[in-house]
Amino acid sequence: MLRVAVIGSGPSGVYTAQSLVAQEAVPDIEVYVLDRLPCPYGLVRYGVAPDHEKIKSLQNNLRTVLEHPRVHFLGNVEVGAQGVSLEELRKIFHAVVFCVGAATDRHLGIPGEGLPGSHPATEFVAWYSAHPDAPAEGFTLGARSAVVIGVGNVAVDVARMLSRGAAELAATDMPQGALGALADSRVEDVWMVGRRGPSQAKFTTKELRELVSLPGTQVRVRPEELALDPAYRDPAELPAPLRRNVEVLRGWAERPVAMAAGVGRLRRIHLRFFLRPAELLGDEATGVRAVRFERTVPDGRGGVTGTGEFEDIEGQLVLRSVGYRGLPQSGLPFDEATGTVPHLAGRVLRDGAPDPGVYVAGWIKRGPTGVIGTNRPCAKETAASLLADAADLARRLPAGDPVAALERAGQRPVPWRGWLAIEAAEAEWGRGLGRGTVKLPDWEGLLAAARAAMVGR
């Protein structure tokens, strides 16, 4: 028998587990999917916007893998300096695969970034997704104008959540506190700003088009900014996804977008391009009040250069969405330049040579690129490397029962039945609120629900 630990239960971790148990060369392989949280699915649960039900339904596919008889989910297991170490895991498992993603956001590195009212977009996403690590105080949304720095899908999600009415979100699993804050929101203008042009924006066309369907919301673009992009007039040479984005924006510029029908507060989403953040204006007492941007122009090499001209955009709430970055993992080598673990086809490289039995998949392997589906081939490659090493790995005899061994290492694992109890508690909580399933937003509630199902185990 080959016993493998997969660290992380998001798509990359689950696809790795699936690749390992689906093959026939090593029929008696057992996979233990460990996660720091008591809940599985990673960013599918805690990163996909609550109104994106089709994408969130991917949880059903991940569930099928985690319910496989040779796959075992163990939540509430901390791996690293504050929990079970890699060396301890080596004693319990034949192989360890790290699928931990990119855990932090990139900074702007400009004056005023730390002012009250300035936050990473990941913090806002965690709050409305009920991540138990989200700040307890949450967001009050008393701002009149919000600035989202970045033009990727996370930026679009954030802009949409700020503009969408609470009544439309009541049917989702959004936590009650976030739903109430959105109901009381005074945000009227949302500015989504990119330093380069529309042909380099990272959002998908589907997400872009969703903005114009929001009730009571008008989307505004500036033709003169779009026209600065060399590919704007003739996007034929662009890759298809970017070409579609440009065509949609060009259509909006030529035919101004009418406000979608709706009632209640009217909101405006402003898409701005060729503006580079230079400084956040405000003070510690009253918080951020505006973002100062430098106008940019294409430099002819795919980048931009500053013009020395500046524009201030009002914003009492500023959310930066300029990318993710991986963090060093305790016991693993780390490339600071790329924010990834050095590897060869998923095998972790230590001083240039493979570290037997240690692997990576997902963002910690390749960087924060691609969509959910990109994790499939990435996971398959890593699984193939592990399986090719299986004969050598199987020569070592690990410790006995993994759950007991993890408990001896100071962990209190939440098994699959604990997660099912959390699901049931969230469904019951939602019924009590007159809604559907509503997520439990804190560690205490999640663990209490899980432990209730584990009494007398």
Side-chain angles (χ1 to χ4, degrees), residues 90-105:
R90 285 177 182 270
K91 296 174 183 176
I92 304 171
F93 300 96
H94 291 98
V96 182
V97 188
F98 285 83
C99 307
V100 293
T104 190
D105 64 285

Side-chain angles (χ1 to χ4, degrees), residues 20 29 39 54 57 72 106 132 144 224 268 284 312-313 330 337 339 349 368 388 412 418-419 433 451 454:
L20 290 171
I29 194 167
C39 309
K54 184 175 181 180
S57 68
H72 314 279
R106 295 183 181 274
R144 192 201 70 78
E224 67 274 16
R268 295 168 292 273
E284 289 294 333
D312 294 349
I313 296 180
S330 180
L349 297 178
R412 297 188 65 194
W419 157 242
L433 295 170
R451 299 297 179 201
M454 298 164 59

Side-chain angles (χ1 to χ4, degrees), residues 12 16 97-101 346 359-366 378-379 382:
S12 64
T16 298
V97 188
F98 285 83
C99 307
V100 293
Y359 305 84
V360 286
W363 279 1
I364 199 63
K365 171 186 174 183
R366 67 181 192 273
C378 175
T382 295

Side-chain angles (χ1 to χ4, degrees), residues 26 55 76 105 124-125 153 190 276 288 313-314 358 367 374 400 438:
V26 186
I55 301 176
N76 196 41
D105 64 285
F124 188 69
V125 172
N153 277 343
V190 178
R276 179 167 58 196
V288 64
I313 296 180
E314 177 193 354
V358 186
T374 311
V438 175

Side-chain angles (χ1 to χ4, degrees), residues 153-307:
N153 277 343
V154 173
V156 177
D157 281 348
V158 167
R160 194 178 65 256
M161 287 297 104
L162 286 168
S163 305
R164 191 182 280 285
E168 305 163 61
L169 295 167
T172 73
D173 61 4
M174 177 179 282
Q176 192 69 9
L179 187 67
L182 287 168
D184 295 334
S185 171
R186 292 191 278 173
V187 174
E188 295 178 352
D189 288 279
V190 178
W191 304 80
M192 192 169 69
V193 188
R195 64 185 176 89
R196 297 192 293 181
S199 70
Q200 295 162 315
K202 301 299 184 182
F203 44 64
T204 60
T205 308
K206 179 180 180 296
E207 292 246 2
L208 180 63
R209 284 177 170 150
E210 283 184 296
L211 296 178
V212 299
S213 65
L214 299 176
T217 302
Q218 184 181 60
V219 179
R220 297 179 176 181
V221 297
R222 299 195 177 187
E224 67 274 16
E225 288 181 349
L226 303 178
L228 290 173
D229 193 320
Y232 176 65
R233 289 301 172 191
D234 184 10
E237 299 301 318
L238 292 174
L242 299 180
R243 184 178 69 249
R244 289 192 292 268
N245 286 344
V246 171
E247 290 170 345
V248 168
L249 290 167
R250 188 169 59 186
W252 292 353
E254 295 171 351
R255 298 178 297 279
V257 183
M259 182 175 291
V263 294
R265 182 180 297 275
L266 302 180
R267 293 182 173 91
R268 295 168 292 273
I269 298 176
H270 309 260
L271 300 182
R272 302 292 307 276
F273 297 94
F274 293 109
L275 292 172
R276 179 167 58 196
E279 181 181 2
L280 271 63
L281 307 177
D283 56 59
E284 289 294 333
T286 59
V288 64
R289 59 176 175 80
V291 183
R292 177 160 294 166
F293 291 93
E294 181 183 16
R295 293 185 180 278
T296 62
V297 292
D299 64 6
R301 300 184 301 275
V304 293
T305 186
T307 64

